[in-house]
Amino acid sequence: MSALSAKANEKTIVRCLFDRHASVQGMMQWFAGQDIPVLPIHGVVDGRCTCGEDCGSPGKHPISSLVLHGVKDATTDRKTIRRWHRKHPDMNYAVATDGLTVIDCDSREAWQAFRAEFQPPPTLLVKTARGFHCYLRGEMSPRIGIRTKLDIKSKSHSYVVGPGSRHASGAIYAVWEDEPIADLPDNIASIAAESSQEETVSENGLIPKGQRNTILTGWAGYLRRLGAPRKAILATLRAANDVLSDDPLPDSELRSIARSISKKPGKEWPTVIPFSDIPEEELDWIWYPYICAGTVGLLDGDPGEGKSQLCVWICARLSQGDLLPNGDPLPPANCFLFNFEDLPGAVIRKRLEANGADLSRVFIQSRRFQLTQEMVDWLEAQIAQHQPRLVFLDPIQAFMSGVDASNNIEVRGFMEKLVEIAERQRCAIITVRHFGKGPQDRAMKKGIGATDFVGIARSQWGLARRRDGMRGFVVFHFKANSEKGQAMLFTMGDADGRKGEQPKIAFDRFEDIDADTFFSEPATKRGPVQNEQEDAKGYLSERLADEPKPVKVLKTDAEARGIGSSTLNRAADALGVVKAKGEDGRWYWSLPSEN
């Protein structure tokens, strides 16, 4: 073979990456631009509907927390669409048929027959899992089963799944013919006058001919959820097919339905048992009464007050097997410190080193991730492999994929997955939240998000900056499943941020402090806060005495000294600091001129 012919036979492989999330949002925006309303519907992840239930319409029903009234809440408002997508990045979406007609062909053959008979004009055509959606502008009477595997979706209160969405089979609804949406021709509108397959069946035929497969598959799914084996499912389908259908399906198709459905896991039903059959269990305390293995805990506090510092300190102690205050001796243990807010090398590692951690026993994520069902499985696999005694998720909202953190039902569903991991792997998982800004009647309610964060947690802490003039923080035990622990006071050592140093944390003492009283004090009574601002002003006066400094560098250095970002901003305003963007594109602060 010549070199020329060999080259001609070479194959070039082109790999294309498809960003489905961006496609969904882009297509929703496109339909909105065409004045066609859309609405969010649940997506499909790992073959299951994101609603979390074993539903009969996976990836096709509205997300009720976003559209309480279903298709009635469909919109063309782009800001609303972006908000939906931020809250549920794995969502599918639907196109409302108000002002539209969509010819829904459930097989390629049905589409070919329709196109050959009615010659539809060039228009938007979408490939579905099994057939096609043909979009036309204008309304006609909606009809189901008007032809074999052909439905008409039109007018208000109806919708079709939009292109870019994922089907339960894994297939993506895709634009097949990218044409402007054409007007509805009269010859197609005339179909509405025809009698449908459903209307022509006899009164004794309870299963319409065009819906035999769909109805029997639904019944088979119900039987499987009850735990029925394949043999029982097939026998039931045969009986229903013979008795309830004028035109029974062939037995081969029934066997195919039974075989496919029986591969799905049956529902595991609970049983009722007496407590005499419940074996006794011993609680496995990592740090009594604050952290117990096999449970999920909650740590709340304001940004920059020391939550992440506390997490590092605990990991450092456990990694070395050091005795925790009033705790029992423990061997050195692994820890997962998943943190999305601090720099791993410049901040977190240096904090661990400052607190004497065994770095080989403390693990961090290589990149950001969200706990979709797939990543929940990944997390449990990593825990099973490395056997950490303690796992921190800081902050928890950053890990929540497609979950409304203010919705109790969605939060409980998400948190229960973590509870199951903690119980199975015998580790403790501590989730970290920020405090909200609004006043609360109880300190335990100060955290951002739904109350079920607190409801699920077996132990809840609250952290705040100390108010006795000492640099450090106080940790309250808001909630406990057993005995509630005393408040703990910690100190934070000095560190030179210019050298990349991080402060050492040290336990000071236990003290009886009422958390509700502490957090209900008005700001005017918090004398040490004024001292914090004076410290911050002194820090800025010292750092800016010679020349302007980059804001990012100042804030990193200040955090190492225990000065929060908000405190530093207030101090800068009090000093009249000049804020300007430098030639390198970074923001700089400088002291005002004496003139």
Side-chain angles (χ1 to χ4, degrees):
M1 182 183 294
S2 68
L4 184 61
S5 60
K7 185 174 182 179
N9 282 292
E10 289 179 0
K11 293 182 178 179
T12 301
I13 299 176
V14 179
R15 300 186 184 278
C16 299
L17 298 178
F18 175 66
D19 188 341
R20 196 188 74 82
H21 293 169
S23 174
V24 164
Q25 184 172 182
M27 288 302 304
M28 292 176 77
Q29 299 276 10
W30 182 84
F31 276 108
Q34 301 291 312
D35 200 30
I36 298 173
V38 294
L39 67 149
I41 57 178
H42 279 285
V44 174
V45 177
D46 298 330
R48 293 182 61 85
C49 186
T50 56
C51 70
E53 303 292 335
D54 190 10
C55 67
S57 186
K60 293 184 178 182
H61 58 103
I63 302 175
S64 58
S65 62
L66 300 182
V67 282
L68 184 62
H69 305 100
V71 71
K72 292 181 180 180
D73 292 336
T75 186
T76 59
D77 181 69
R78 300 189 179 203
K79 184 177 180 180
T80 301
I81 291 170
R82 289 193 295 270
R83 176 173 60 82
W84 288 341
H85 197 264
R86 282 196 304 271
K87 287 191 173 184
H88 292 268
D90 291 323
M91 61 178 272
N92 285 341
Y93 75 100
V95 179
T97 56
D98 190 6
L100 286 179
T101 291
V102 177
I103 308 298
D104 180 4
C105 299
D106 203 32
S107 70
R108 183 180 293 273
E109 293 73 23
W111 166 245
Q112 290 172 342
F114 172 82
R115 173 173 269 182
E117 180 176 355
F118 292 95
Q119 300 293 316
T123 190
L124 176 64
L125 186 66
V126 174
K127 179 75 174 69
T128 65
R130 294 186 293 264
F132 292 89
H133 285 164
C134 175
Y135 285 75
L136 297 164
R137 285 194 183 274
E139 294 183 344
M140 58 186 290
S141 297
R143 304 293 297 274
I144 301 298
I146 189 70
R147 298 285 179 90
T148 301
K149 294 191 175 182
L150 190 151
D151 302 329
I152 298 171
K153 307 289 181 66
S154 188
K155 297 188 176 182
S156 59
H157 311 307
S158 179
Y159 63 82
V160 293
V161 179
S165 299
R166 187 187 300 278
H167 188 265
S169 65
I172 302 295
Y173 291 75
V175 174
W176 197 255
E177 293 181 9
D178 187 9
E179 299 283 352
I181 299 178
D183 291 335
L184 175 66
D186 291 339
N187 67 322
I188 294 178
S190 66
I191 304 176
E194 297 182 6
S195 297
S196 68
Q197 296 277 1
E198 188 172 350
E199 292 170 339
T200 56
V201 298
S202 72
E203 294 181 359
N204 296 324
L206 300 184
I207 303 179
K209 183 176 180 180
Q211 299 180 44
R212 294 170 300 174
N213 192 290
T214 300
I215 291 175
L216 291 174
T217 300
W219 290 354
Y222 173 74
L223 292 171
R224 184 59 187 144
R225 289 193 293 274
L226 290 176
R230 177 177 169 182
K231 186 175 181 180
I233 293 173
L234 180 58
T236 305
L237 293 183
R238 282 171 170 164
N241 188 48
D242 290 341
V243 175
L244 300 178
S245 177
D246 278 354
D247 187 7
L249 287 174
D251 196 67
S252 60
E253 195 160 347
L254 299 180
R255 292 197 302 272
S256 176
I257 293 173
R259 182 170 57 251
S260 174
I261 294 297
S262 63
K263 292 179 181 178
K264 298 183 178 181
K267 186 167 184 176
E268 185 177 343
W269 294 91
T271 58
V272 179
I273 56 177
F275 271 98
S276 57
D277 292 345
I278 301 294
E280 290 188 12
E281 297 179 78
E282 293 291 332
L283 294 176
D284 183 8
W285 289 101
I286 297 172
W287 183 14
Y288 182 83
Y290 303 101
I291 305 177
C292 184
T295 67
V296 169
L298 186 62
L299 170 60
D300 294 335
D302 278 324
E305 299 289 277
K307 298 188 304 298
S308 298
Q309 297 275 13
L310 176 65
C311 297
V312 165
W313 179 83
I314 295 173
C315 287
R317 301 280 70 74
L318 288 179
S319 71
Q320 291 285 9
D322 292 343
L323 198 66
L324 291 163
N326 279 1
D328 296 321
L330 292 171
N334 291 347
C335 300
F336 281 3
L337 185 56
F338 292 157
N339 181 309
F340 285 179
E341 294 191 336
D342 298 308
L343 297 172
V347 177
I348 302 176
R349 175 176 175 138
K350 293 185 182 298
R351 286 176 179 171
L352 288 165
E353 291 172 336
N355 287 280
D358 180 349
L359 297 183
S360 67
R361 287 190 172 275
V362 186
F363 298 78
I364 191 170
Q365 78 285 347
S366 61
R367 61 175 179 83
R368 291 172 178 261
F369 62 89
Q370 290 189 315
L371 287 172
T372 60
Q373 185 56 56
E374 179 183 29
M375 293 306 293
V376 167
D377 296 338
W378 170 87
L379 175 62
E380 183 163 12
Q382 294 301 309
I383 293 174
Q385 176 183 348
H386 297 285
Q387 294 292 299
R389 289 285 280 163
L390 188 57
V391 176
F392 282 104
L393 300 176
D394 181 11
I396 184 59
Q397 280 89 346
F399 295 85
M400 300 173 72
S401 173
V403 178
D404 183 352
S406 63
N407 184 297
N408 274 322
I409 295 175
E410 294 190 24
V411 165
R412 180 167 288 269
F414 175 84
M415 294 293 285
E416 283 178 346
K417 296 176 183 178
L418 300 181
V419 171
E420 291 172 0
I421 293 176
E423 290 176 347
R424 285 193 293 262
Q425 302 300 328
R426 304 309 300 168
C427 66
I429 299 177
I430 306 297
T431 59
V432 181
R433 294 189 305 172
H434 295 318
F435 279 153
K437 294 183 178 180
Q440 296 290 343
D441 59 343
R442 295 287 304 280
M444 67 177 355
K445 298 179 182 178
K446 286 181 64 62
I448 293 176
T451 57
D452 268 15
F453 277 114
V454 179
I456 287 288
R458 298 300 86 199
S459 185
Q460 182 194 11
W461 307 341
L463 182 147
R465 194 176 296 270
R466 290 177 66 155
R467 300 176 187 164
D468 56 3
M470 296 287 291
R471 177 174 294 168
F473 47 83
V474 56
V475 180
F476 297 92
H477 202 193
F478 287 164
K479 173 188 173 181
N481 238 25
S482 52
E483 177 186 2
K484 188 179 292 187
Q486 290 179 290
M488 298 177 287
L489 277 70
F490 289 81
T491 59
M492 186 180 295
D494 294 327
D496 189 344
R498 285 170 292 188
K499 296 181 181 179
E501 296 177 354
Q502 289 290 326
K504 181 178 180 179
I505 307 303
F507 174 77
D508 184 0
R509 65 184 187 274
F510 290 104
E511 191 169 311
D512 288 320
I513 309 174
D514 184 74
D516 292 336
T517 302
F518 181 93
F519 285 105
S520 65
E521 290 180 1
T524 54
K525 292 186 179 181
R526 298 178 184 175
V529 172
Q530 297 301 320
N531 294 339
E532 293 169 9
Q533 185 164 319
E534 290 302 317
D535 287 345
K537 288 166 66 176
Y539 162 77
L540 287 174
S541 297
E542 176 187 345
R543 292 298 311 277
L544 300 178
D546 299 328
E547 60 182 359
K549 296 290 192 305
V551 177
K552 188 173 182 179
V553 173
L554 288 171
K555 290 191 173 183
T556 300
D557 187 10
E559 184 183 357
R561 293 169 180 255
I563 301 172
S565 178
S566 58
T567 302
L568 197 68
N569 288 334
R570 289 193 293 268
D573 292 340
L575 289 172
V577 164
V578 178
K579 305 171 184 179
K581 184 175 285 190
E583 294 182 357
D584 58 359
R586 295 188 295 174
W587 282 93
Y588 284 78
W589 283 358
S590 60
L591 293 175
S593 61
E594 296 182 359
N595 297 333

